[in-house]
Amino acid sequence: MRFSSRGQVDPFIVMDVMEAARAAEDAGRDIVHMEVGQPSTPAPEGARHALAKALDDQAMGYTVALGLPALRRGIAELYQRWYGVDLDPARVVVTSGSSGAFVLAFSALFDAGDRVALGEPGYPSYRQILRAMSVEPVGMPASAENRYQPVPQDIPEDVQGLIVASPGNPSGTMLGKPELKALMDLAQARDLAFISDEIYHGLHYEDRAVTALEVSDQAYVVNSFSKYFSMTGWRVGWLVVPEDHVRTVERLAQNMFICPPHASQIAALAALDCIDELEANRAAYAENRRLMLEVLPQIGFDRIAPPDGAFYIYADVAHLTDNSLAFAEEILREAGVAVTPGLDFDPHRGASTLRFSYAQSTPRIREGLERLRAFMAARLAG
């Protein structure tokens, strides 16, 4: 059977690292997971209880394509609580995770052959989803001096769209409102579709993150219940679109997905009211961040842009290796710690970078850091 050329996308390397770590665990080893960007905590207790109750008295059939009206209202209310933004629930589209939101956004905004600018380092699936749609991703090499976030002069000519992420993956750094406005103003002046990935909102450690909707309604905003709400495997996210784009996105959602998972939507609606539990999770990440920023520089990982949010440290390891994939394999083999090679996030400079996730429990992060300390001491001594 033939293959399409657009279907030949690159692998998501972190998933390969996860598989290698799983194989090591199956062989009896204890592995500290600093590779995967997911909370170790379950969905909030209230969300789990709400779904358990609903399973007894609801059929869990299709919902409308845009999602449960109560959930769309709840998400709109979240924008008022978090940002003071008055958002019409009609502009909220519930999706099958943020991945489903990107598929809908890219389908609604871009034609085959269009070019879309995105920061490097950045989330690798942007590139691969675009390629699978015959849209060309155009990397913007962001500098450490700009904390791995794009600035207006980075945006190339002859592109039809721009994707930004704040907090970013893998860097965890954020765009302030002036920086975000500068990018959005340029996009509007050049008639570029603007997509703001806000999946790590809620996970900040000093100033809160700024949503693109505080600057302009002329943006597609992607978010999810995966990170702050600790619901990765439930596959429920959302997309906020301009008013005149709702019907286009609705038609696409009807045909591509029918609807998001009904059960996950019920849990997500209840999760919106579980803030005390979620804030306790954030406090644990804050402690993990403190430990990472204290210990990693001591043991040789000292070239980092301190993260504002999310749960990642992105380290330049050019002084230690020119092959981050082999280095990550060595760390897993010798230290029993899984980390992600930077090649996932930057195909050009990622051979000399690593991403460390601190989404696990604090005791596991402490254990991982001690293993890394011993590994680096032995490596330097050898």
Side-chain angles (χ1 to χ4, degrees):
M1 184 72 71
R2 69 188 299 275
F3 290 101
S4 71
S5 58
R6 61 186 173 85
Q8 304 310 301
V9 300
D10 297 332
F12 196 173
I13 296 174
V14 70
M15 305 306 291
D16 292 340
V17 175
M18 286 177 62
E19 174 58 24
R22 183 204 61 78
E25 289 172 326
D26 284 352
R29 295 196 64 191
D30 176 64
I31 302 299
V32 176
H33 291 275
M34 290 186 175
E35 86 281 22
V36 63
Q38 71 170 348
S40 60
T41 49
E45 182 178 4
R48 303 195 308 271
H49 288 174
L51 177 57
K53 182 177 184 301
L55 287 171
D56 288 333
D57 53 30
Q58 294 191 38
M60 297 298 164
Y62 296 137
T63 69
V64 295
L66 295 181
L68 292 171
L71 180 54
R72 296 168 71 198
R73 289 194 298 271
I75 291 168
E77 290 167 2
L78 184 71
Y79 280 84
Q80 181 61 242
R81 293 203 306 272
W82 278 7
Y83 316 106
V85 168
D86 186 11
L87 175 62
D88 183 353
R91 295 173 52 200
V92 177
V93 180
V94 183
T95 61
S96 297
S98 65
S99 301
F102 286 118
V103 169
L104 289 172
F106 297 165
S107 298
L109 294 170
F110 305 122
D111 292 312
D114 279 352
R115 290 159 46 86
V116 178
L118 43 90
E120 293 176 347
Y123 180 54
S125 291
Y126 302 148
R127 297 193 303 270
Q128 311 311 337
I129 297 171
L130 289 167
R131 285 173 177 152
M133 294 182 163
S134 299
V135 178
E136 181 183 353
V138 181
M140 300 182 293
S143 68
E145 291 73 23
N146 290 324
R147 307 182 73 248
Y148 297 115
Q149 287 286 357
V151 293
Q153 54 265 37
D154 292 336
I155 301 173
E157 298 296 329
D158 190 26
V159 294
Q160 285 70 50
L162 171 63
I163 304 171
V164 301
S166 173
N169 177 10
S171 67
T173 60
M174 297 194 311
L175 291 162
K177 189 171 183 179
E179 292 78 19
L180 183 59
K181 185 177 186 303
L183 292 167
M184 295 183 74
D185 286 349
L186 185 147
Q188 185 167 0
R190 290 174 48 183
D191 193 27
L192 309 183
F194 189 90
I195 301 171
S196 180
D197 181 354
E198 302 180 0
I199 191 173
Y200 293 99
H201 278 216
L203 297 179
H204 56 270
Y205 305 107
E206 293 178 6
D207 295 335
R208 70 160 175 84
V210 177
T211 177
L213 299 180
E214 294 178 72
V215 177
S216 171
D217 288 335
Q218 296 305 301
Y220 272 45
V221 172
V222 176
N223 208 323
S224 170
F225 286 87
S226 288
K227 310 299 183 177
Y228 176 75
F229 293 94
S230 196
M231 295 177 65
T232 51
W234 297 73
R235 309 314 303 140
V236 58
W238 73 85
L239 179 66
V240 180
V241 303
E243 183 179 1
D244 58 346
H245 284 234
V246 172
R247 182 55 178 159
T248 291
V249 173
E250 182 178 28
R251 293 196 303 261
L252 287 165
Q254 289 168 340
N255 286 282
M256 288 181 167
F257 302 107
I258 300 181
C259 70
H262 192 157
S264 296
Q265 293 186 71
I266 289 173
L269 178 59
L272 291 169
D273 293 325
C274 298
I275 300 304
D276 288 347
E277 183 177 346
L278 299 170
E279 284 298 294
N281 292 344
R282 184 164 71 95
Y285 299 143
E287 172 61 9
N288 294 351
R289 172 180 178 267
R290 185 193 68 78
L291 289 169
M292 298 286 277
L293 291 175
E294 174 186 311
V295 175
L296 286 178
Q298 294 175 357
I299 62 178
F301 302 104
D302 55 350
R303 303 179 184 180
I304 57 179
D308 305 301
F311 32 54
Y312 305 120
I313 302 284
Y314 194 59
D316 179 346
V317 292
H319 58 303
L320 300 172
T321 186
D322 60 2
N323 186 337
S324 61
L325 185 60
F327 193 30
E329 291 171 349
E330 180 186 356
I331 293 171
L332 178 61
R333 182 177 64 252
E334 302 296 330
V337 179
V339 300
T340 304
L343 287 169
D344 237 356
F345 313 103
D346 190 332
H348 304 292
R349 301 173 296 174
S352 60
T353 57
L354 291 177
R355 187 191 75 176
F356 300 85
S357 170
Y358 53 89
Q360 296 289 295
S361 68
T362 300
R364 292 301 283 170
I365 294 300
R366 289 184 185 275
E367 172 67 20
L369 288 170
E370 288 311 305
R371 293 185 189 186
L372 288 170
R373 187 192 298 276
F375 166 79
M376 290 298 291
R379 194 174 191 269
L380 292 172

